[in-house]
Amino acid sequence: MSEPLDRPGAEPTDVTTFWTRVRGRVQKDPFARLGVVVGPGGSAAVAPPSFSFGATREQADEQLGLVLSGTKTATSSALVEYRAGSEDEHPLPRVGDLAIVLDGGGEPRAVIRTTAVEVTTLGLVDGVHVRAEGESGSSLAAWQRDHAALWGKSVAEADDWPVVLERFARVYPATQSVDG
C-alpha cells in the first residue's frame, strides 16, 4: 500500500533555501541576477508555490522522474479546485508562472514554468494532452476514466466536467540530472 504524501510538503526553509539557490537561473527578468549584488526584490525573494504531483510518496517520485526526464510536460485539475469557497482554492495558473516541484519526501527538486493554460471539459481532452502528462501507456479512455474517478464522477457524468489543462516546461534543473 502506498504511503500518503504529507502535505504541504517540505519545511518552508527547505523551499526557501532551494529558491534562493536557483532563482537567478530560472527568472526571465534580466535584473533578477542583480539580487546577488544588491539584494533581491520582494517578488524575487518569495519562493513560488511548491507541490508534488500525485497523492502518495511513490506517485510523487514517479511523476517527478517524468518531469526531470522531459516526459511529463502537462497536468490537469478540476476547475472547481480553483473556485472561491473550495477547500483547495487557489488562482488559475497563468502563462509564465513558476512552481517548485517536490519529491515524495517533500524535498524541492525542480522548477517548472507554465507555458499554456486551457479550460475545457473532460470529454474534450485529447490524446496529445494525455501523452504530455506522461501517460504514454494509457489510452485516452483510461485516462478519462481514471480522472473522472479521481473527481468522484463516472465518465458519463464527467464528460462535461470543467477541467484546467496546464502545459509547462522544466526550467531547473536545466539538464536531466537531479543535482542542484
Side-chain angles (χ1 to χ4, degrees):
M1 181 165 196
S2 297
E3 184 178 336
L5 182 63
D6 297 328
R7 304 251 184 220
E11 294 294 319
T13 54
D14 293 336
V15 170
T16 301
T17 300
F18 176 83
W19 180 241
T20 299
R21 190 174 73 239
V22 305
R23 71 176 177 242
R25 299 181 204 174
V26 300
Q27 291 179 316
K28 285 184 174 179
D29 181 356
F31 297 105
R33 293 185 188 269
L34 284 178
V36 174
V37 177
V38 298
S43 64
V46 176
S50 60
F51 65 91
S52 297
F53 290 107
T56 65
R57 288 174 165 269
E58 293 81 7
Q59 289 172 348
D61 287 339
E62 177 185 334
Q63 294 293 305
L64 172 65
L66 294 173
V67 169
L68 293 173
S69 72
T71 303
K72 182 175 182 64
T73 59
T75 192
S76 56
S77 305
L79 180 61
V80 70
E81 294 175 12
Y82 297 97
R83 295 217 170 127
S86 72
E87 185 176 308
D88 296 326
E89 177 186 341
H90 52 285
L92 280 171
R94 296 176 310 190
V95 171
D97 283 354
L98 295 173
I100 296 171
V101 182
L102 308 173
D103 66 17
E107 293 294 319
R109 300 293 298 277
V111 178
I112 59 175
R113 177 176 283 119
T114 301
T115 59
V117 178
E118 177 186 2
V119 178
T120 189
T121 62
L122 188 70
L124 293 177
V125 175
D126 61 19
V128 172
H129 181 82
V130 171
R131 286 186 297 280
E133 281 201 22
E135 306 285 339
S136 60
S138 181
S139 70
L140 175 58
W143 182 92
Q144 288 173 326
R145 184 181 57 248
D146 292 347
H147 280 72
L150 176 69
W151 297 320
K153 306 279 183 190
S154 71
V155 173
E157 292 174 308
D159 192 51
D160 292 329
W161 185 254
V163 295
V164 178
L165 305 181
E166 182 179 359
R167 298 294 299 249
F168 58 82
R170 184 191 74 233
V171 294
Y172 182 86
T175 65
Q176 291 184 11
S177 69
V178 294
D179 64 338

